[in-house]
Amino acid sequence: MLVKTPPFRRVRRAVVALSATAGFLTVPTAAQAADNPFERGPAPTTASIEATRGPFATAQTTVSSVAVRGFGGGTIYYPTSTAEGTFGAVAIAPGYTASQSSISWFGPRLASQGFVIFTIDTNSRYDQPASRGDQLLAALDYLTTSSSVRDRIDRNRLGVMGHSMGGGGSLEAAKDRPSLQAAIPLTPWNTTKTWSTVQTPTLIIGAENDSTASVSSHAEPFYQSLPSTLDKAYLELAGASHFAPNSSNTTIAKYSISWLKRFIDNDLRYEQFLCPAPRGTAISEYRDTCPHSV
């Protein structure tokens, strides 16, 4: 499938290509950054992306399962002001036997950084990853066409996340809908190990002590199977268990925000947190394909 590149991305890719020819990679100037119509919020700092709340005030609305088709309802978290324009949107799925309450902390934390976030319930707590992937896409379709916040969303800037089987589902969704701008599988589980057709920039977050979806059997082979030409990264949480994404986690939030901003908003101000590869006591391993394409 041919995916058209937006004009502003083509221009920036040309700039990077010229810079690479000269033997260096330019850092975007303030004037170049201002050319991006999708930037939302002030210039980021380490403190701002580690904070429990970002610069946007948020509200939330509940979506009943009887009001939708294809997934089990959920909760939408969104910025209350549209003074800066519309926002990218992300659907997030829980893991096996879990409900949206297990991932609810992502809602206000990510929405306050300038996204519309939809934490969903699945049709059944026992749905497998392929079904959860379909449900993530159904949730995005509902968000952009029928939800009460659809006018706040740019339907061309969408992403998916998920925990465990929901993480495996986010890979399924990215495979099935190449137009997605970002995917973040969180300690993902899936019997499918090869994702060579995925075209969506993907950050896989694994947990060093995961005994449910061990990184050696799931997160690591998933990352390795993604195309080498893809913008991708693998972050392994030091000493963490499979259930690390089920409670507020600064490391997960920090790099999820950076990934979503970088690829859903094409906000180059967040590249600094991803390239060069981050290091620290909270990270046992990090792999990437830096520098990212523009």
Side-chain angles (χ1 to χ4, degrees), residues 101-147:
S101 63
S102 67
I103 50 172
S104 61
W105 72 273
F106 286 101
R109 190 154 185 172
L110 300 184
S112 68
Q113 295 285 348
F115 296 101
V116 174
I117 302 296
F118 198 3
T119 58
I120 69 168
D121 280 315
T122 49
N123 292 324
S124 163
R125 293 191 177 203
Y126 308 103
D127 289 330
Q128 297 298 298
S131 174
R132 290 170 192 262
D134 291 340
Q135 293 178 62
L136 282 167
L137 297 180
L140 289 176
D141 292 341
Y142 170 81
L143 265 183
T144 56
T145 62
S146 304
S147 76

Side-chain angles (χ1 to χ4, degrees), residues 13-223:
R13 186 174 289 118
V15 171
V16 171
L18 288 171
S19 299
T21 301
F24 62 92
L25 185 65
T26 58
V27 176
T29 65
Q32 289 172 324
D35 291 338
N36 178 10
F38 304 135
E39 287 183 4
R40 301 290 181 265
T45 63
T46 297
S48 73
I49 60 174
E50 290 183 348
T52 56
R53 291 294 180 272
F56 293 89
T58 65
Q60 65 189 71
T61 183
T62 301
V63 178
S64 169
S65 61
V66 301
V68 299
R69 296 183 62 183
F71 65 105
T75 304
I76 302 172
Y77 303 83
Y78 59 94
T80 55
S81 172
T82 56
E84 294 189 42
T86 55
F87 299 95
V90 183
I92 310 178
Y96 189 65
T97 76
S99 68
Q100 63 162 315
S101 63
S102 67
I103 50 172
S104 61
W105 72 273
F106 286 101
R109 190 154 185 172
L110 300 184
S112 68
Q113 295 285 348
F115 296 101
V116 174
I117 302 296
F118 198 3
T119 58
I120 69 168
D121 280 315
T122 49
N123 292 324
S124 163
R125 293 191 177 203
Y126 308 103
D127 289 330
Q128 297 298 298
S131 174
R132 290 170 192 262
D134 291 340
Q135 293 178 62
L136 282 167
L137 297 180
L140 289 176
D141 292 341
Y142 170 81
L143 265 183
T144 56
T145 62
S146 304
S147 76
S148 60
V149 299
R150 60 187 179 277
D151 292 340
R152 297 173 181 266
I153 298 170
D154 180 346
R155 62 187 305 163
N156 295 314
R157 296 190 291 122
L158 306 176
V160 289
M161 297 175 64
H163 173 237
S164 191
M165 283 197 182
S170 68
L171 285 166
E172 299 276 1
K175 178 195 70 176
D176 293 343
R177 188 172 293 181
S179 61
L180 292 176
Q181 299 296 296
I184 305 179
L186 304 159
T187 59
W189 188 100
N190 201 314
T191 56
T192 299
K193 306 303 180 184
T194 301
W195 302 96
S196 58
T197 62
V198 169
Q199 300 178 37
T200 299
T202 300
L203 165 63
I204 295 178
I205 297 180
E208 183 180 24
N209 295 338
D210 192 333
S211 59
T212 301
S214 67
V215 293
S216 62
S217 298
H218 295 269
E220 290 180 328
F222 296 166
Y223 173 80

